[in-house]
Amino acid sequence: MSEMSSIIPSSPASSASTLVASPMPSPESKIRSLEPVEVSEDDKVEALRLKADANKAFTSHDFPTAAKFYTAAIEKDPNEPTLWCNRAYTRMKLEEYGYALSDATQAIQLDPRYAKAFYRRATCYMQVLKYSAAVADFKKVLALEPKNESVRAQLVSTQKLIRKIEFEKAIEMEEEKSPIERCHEIIAEGGCDVDTSYAGPQLDLEDGKYKITYEFIKAMIQWFKDGKTLPKRYVWEIVLGAYEHFSNSDSLVNVELEDGVTCDVIGDVHGQFYDMLHLFSLTGEPNEKHYLLMNGDLVDRGSWSIEVILTAFAFKWLYPNYMFINRGNHETKDMNRAYGFEGETKHKHGEQSYKLFAYAFTALPLATLVSATKIPPSQRQSGVILSPQGLKRYFVVHGGLFSKDGVTLEDVRKIDRVGRQPGQEGLMCQYLFEVLLWTDPQDTPGRGPSKRGVGIGFGPDVTKRWCTLNGVTGVIRSHEVRQDGYQIEHNGLCTTVFSAPNYVDQGGNKGAFIRINSTGDQKYFQFEAQPHPPLKPMAYVQGGLGSMFM
């Protein structure tokens, strides 16, 4: 593990070698003219050379560099559709789905019979959960390549997924009781007792109620490492125990760091259980002098999401005042359906367990305000934004800031979140809580379309105005891969932290976490990925993205 102090903010991503976002922004609305551009033979040759460099970088999973080379090649020969198509695929790897849609569309305009470009656009629509648009493009591929049985299977799978989603929506309309109530009923009726043959870790039972202990958590983690699962009743008890604490919290949680107390902010973990265990060995477990704050996206993509979320929820149940968890955009039904958690949960613990998790996720707080309680020895630093009490404090949120100015901390605190799911068609990011889960920082001032195709981008001026209005020293957010595990942006007012190293077994990135002390000073710690059993990411996805991932 390496450590970097941040009393004077600096970013490891200030060098070209650690650039994460692809160069040359191209919002989806900006499609180039259909008129061909005159290109010299020398430029065509140079474009081919740059394409070869890009292909080599892509093969090495150096996607930022690949995007840079494809961009340079396009500048030399913008008439070549394969360059746009290849950059679209690269941008998908960078999760820049809005830009990827633009590139694939440009390739199609250059060559309306380019089947691979239609396929790239279809898979990109799948990533942003626009399944009907994906179906239309899969059909275009089949019109051009009628014998492509792989694409035909993906078309059929996606059509089934659309029907499944509509059926589930109809069923939900008919259900009157929340999954919390239903699970309590099933337990009371004796329908979820622990099988007498179970020989794993045991929850203590006192006066007819289960309670959790530190010894149980340690034994549970080892049980998971041995490849075993908990009985359904224990899963429910852990979720219900954590839910009780989450549901009694505001949407904005206050965490004050008294003298001698530190708080580690952890970014996306994404079901990478073995990396999370290594991370916990570096942070230390939560206790009265050391808090943990997990900033959303604990589940999906990685294939040990159940193990990750049960470990986190177990610590929350045991240490409600030391373990904190924010909601991420992947603690939502639409994303769980597409990226693996729904399938994994149903496979390991059944349908009702998934419904319980999905409802419990809606109770997760949307943001946490981490506040210092001591003035730093150096007194006030020039230009640092402080609270009305003259202390540092940080707004920790999964995505970022808002689509309008003037939003206050109190507005966030009052958000009615429990039981609510973000909508994907027409509703996404219209409400404050959805914006908190999805937005991303951008380099340019103001606001603009997000490179990922969902939500918005917010510039450094937006961040400064919001921090000044609310007396916030800085925004700490996650939501995006950073090659060094973290990146300081917006003149030190916005920091991204990402804690899933070698993301989905191909990112090549480091993980990181941020430690904040009682004076509000920060330190950054980086770590590498750890070995794990031979199970690929998204192993439990059924249909849709499952047939095309990796």
Side-chain angles (χ1 to χ4, degrees):
M1 177 179 67
S2 60
E3 173 188 338
M4 297 186 181
S5 174
S6 73
I7 295 175
I8 300 176
S10 62
S11 174
S14 60
S15 65
S17 63
T18 57
L19 181 67
V20 174
S22 67
M24 187 184 171
S26 59
E28 190 175 355
S29 59
K30 294 185 178 180
I31 305 296
R32 295 173 67 107
S33 169
L34 287 173
E35 294 297 323
V37 178
E38 186 173 342
V39 178
S40 69
E41 289 302 317
D42 286 346
D43 280 346
K44 289 181 181 179
V45 171
E46 179 63 10
L48 287 173
R49 186 191 68 77
L50 290 165
K51 178 184 177 183
D53 289 341
N55 292 346
K56 183 178 179 180
F58 187 96
T59 302
S60 301
H61 293 172
D62 186 358
F63 303 122
T65 299
K68 181 179 69 174
F69 281 127
Y70 283 131
T71 297
I74 287 169
E75 290 172 352
K76 291 293 182 181
D77 187 2
N79 300 336
E80 177 51 56
T82 60
L83 298 176
W84 295 93
C85 189
N86 287 4
R87 192 173 71 172
Y89 192 32
T90 305
R91 285 174 156 176
M92 288 174 65
K93 292 292 188 181
L94 292 167
E95 299 189 2
E96 297 176 351
Y97 303 122
Y99 290 174
L101 284 169
S102 175
D103 284 352
T105 299
Q106 183 66 43
I108 291 166
Q109 290 196 1
L110 288 167
D111 183 358
R113 297 187 59 80
Y114 192 5
K116 183 178 285 188
F118 281 111
Y119 180 76
R120 290 281 179 248
R121 193 168 70 176
T123 57
C124 195
Y125 279 132
M126 293 291 293
Q127 297 278 1
V128 296
L129 314 186
K130 295 183 177 179
Y131 301 122
S132 296
V135 164
D137 275 351
F138 283 141
K139 287 181 176 178
K140 290 174 182 176
V141 175
L142 290 173
L144 294 168
E145 298 180 356
K147 295 183 179 180
N148 193 324
E149 295 304 318
S150 175
V151 172
R152 191 176 305 280
Q154 290 174 1
L155 170 63
V156 171
S157 176
T158 306
Q159 290 171 325
K160 288 180 179 178
L161 178 60
I162 292 172
R163 292 194 292 271
K164 176 176 179 283
I165 292 170
E166 293 304 317
F167 175 76
E168 289 176 350
K169 286 180 180 178
I171 294 297
E172 286 178 4
M173 293 286 288
E174 298 174 4
E175 293 180 346
E176 297 181 359
K177 295 178 180 178
S178 77
I180 302 293
E181 293 176 288
R182 184 63 189 133
C183 286
H184 278 303
E185 283 185 352
I186 294 171
I187 289 171
E189 294 164 358
C192 193
D193 291 342
V194 178
D195 193 288
T196 55
S197 64
Y198 172 66
Q202 302 285 329
L203 284 172
D204 287 354
L205 189 61
E206 291 185 3
D207 299 325
K209 291 186 177 181
Y210 284 108
K211 75 169 193 176
I212 195 165
T213 63
Y214 176 75
E215 289 72 24
F216 172 83
I217 294 177
K218 297 303 289 184
M220 178 187 71
I221 290 172
Q222 185 58 52
W223 190 252
F224 289 158
K225 290 170 69 176
D226 292 339
K228 300 175 182 178
T229 58
L230 291 179
K232 186 186 300 183
R233 176 62 179 275
Y234 283 6
V235 171
W236 290 12
E237 292 290 344
I238 291 170
V239 177
L240 292 169
Y243 171 82
E244 182 176 356
H245 297 296
F246 294 135
S247 62
N248 288 325
S249 299
D250 290 334
S251 289
L252 175 65
V253 172
N254 287 331
V255 173
E256 294 190 350
L257 303 181
E258 300 294 341
D259 190 19
V261 175
T262 57
C263 177
D264 287 348
V265 181
I266 296 167
D268 301 34
V269 173
H270 275 304
Q272 297 184 195
F273 179 62
Y274 294 88
D275 291 320
M276 186 187 75
L277 294 182
H278 177 57
L279 169 62
F280 283 0
S281 75
L282 303 176
T283 63
E285 293 163 348
N287 60 62
E288 68 277 5
K289 288 292 186 180
H290 183 62
Y291 304 161
L292 296 184
L293 168 53
M294 301 189 76
N295 196 27
D297 280 13
L298 283 72
V299 301
D300 279 340
R301 297 192 181 273
S303 293
W304 291 274
S305 290
I306 278 288
E307 289 77 7
V308 165
I309 198 66
L310 285 176
T311 301
F313 276 16
F315 274 122
K316 181 63 182 180
W317 186 15
L318 180 63
Y319 301 130
N321 297 320
Y322 314 140
M323 181 71 172
F324 303 92
I325 305 172
N326 285 340
R327 189 178 186 182
N329 65 300
H330 277 268
E331 278 75 49
T332 58
K333 281 188 176 180
D334 283 347
M335 302 301 279
N336 294 160
R337 181 186 297 115
Y339 289 95
F341 182 67
E342 177 181 334
E344 181 182 345
T345 306
K346 290 179 178 179
H347 174 80
K348 293 178 179 178
H349 300 293
E351 173 85 23
Q352 188 61 37
S353 297
Y354 172 67
K355 291 181 178 180
L356 179 62
F357 272 111
Y359 195 87
F361 286 164
T362 72
L364 290 172
L366 304 177
T368 301
L369 189 65
V370 179
S371 302
T373 58
K374 294 180 61 181
I375 296 175
S378 58
Q379 301 299 319
R380 297 194 177 196
Q381 297 171 331
S382 176
V384 175
I385 301 171
L386 301 174
S387 73
Q389 294 75 33
L391 300 167
K392 290 183 178 181
R393 59 181 184 178
Y394 301 92
F395 182 71
V396 184
V397 63
H398 181 71
L401 298 181
F402 309 95
S403 57
K404 62 179 182 179
D405 287 342
V407 178
T408 66
L409 294 173
E410 190 60 25
D411 291 331
V412 177
R413 195 182 315 279
K414 294 187 299 185
I415 294 173
D416 181 16
R417 72 191 189 280
V418 179
R420 295 185 59 188
Q421 295 285 344
Q424 196 64 34
E425 295 296 332
L427 294 178
M428 178 58 70
C429 299
Q430 288 187 9
Y431 299 103
L432 289 182
F433 92 86
E434 293 160 346
V435 172
L436 289 165
L437 304 185
W438 276 100
T439 53
D440 297 303
Q442 63 183 30
D443 294 334
T444 54
R447 297 177 174 90
S450 169
K451 57 183 175 286
R452 69 175 71 234
V454 179
I456 63 165
F458 60 96
D461 56 330
V462 174
T463 304
K464 185 173 182 179
R465 285 196 302 271
W466 187 85
C467 288
T468 301
L469 171 67
N470 288 283
V472 168
T473 307
V475 175
I476 299 175
R477 45 89 62 180
S478 301
H479 195 41
E480 292 182 280
V481 182
R482 292 294 187 257
Q483 288 302 107
D484 286 286
Y486 74 98
Q487 182 180 2
I488 301 170
E489 305 167 80
H490 291 188
N491 301 312
L493 291 179
C494 181
T495 302
T496 297
V497 60
F498 194 83
S499 304
N502 194 29
Y503 182 44
V504 292
D505 287 351
Q506 63 179 353
N509 58 291
K510 294 178 181 178
F513 63 93
I514 304 173
R515 179 163 294 170
I516 306 171
N517 66 16
S518 60
T519 61
D521 291 331
Q522 301 179 61
K523 289 184 179 179
Y524 299 87
F525 297 85
Q526 300 167 299
F527 61 98
E528 301 286 351
Q530 300 299 299
H532 63 72
L535 187 64
K536 290 183 177 180
M538 290 179 61
Y540 298 96
V541 175
Q542 298 176 348
L545 287 172
S547 58
M548 64 185 68
F549 185 74
M550 301 290 284

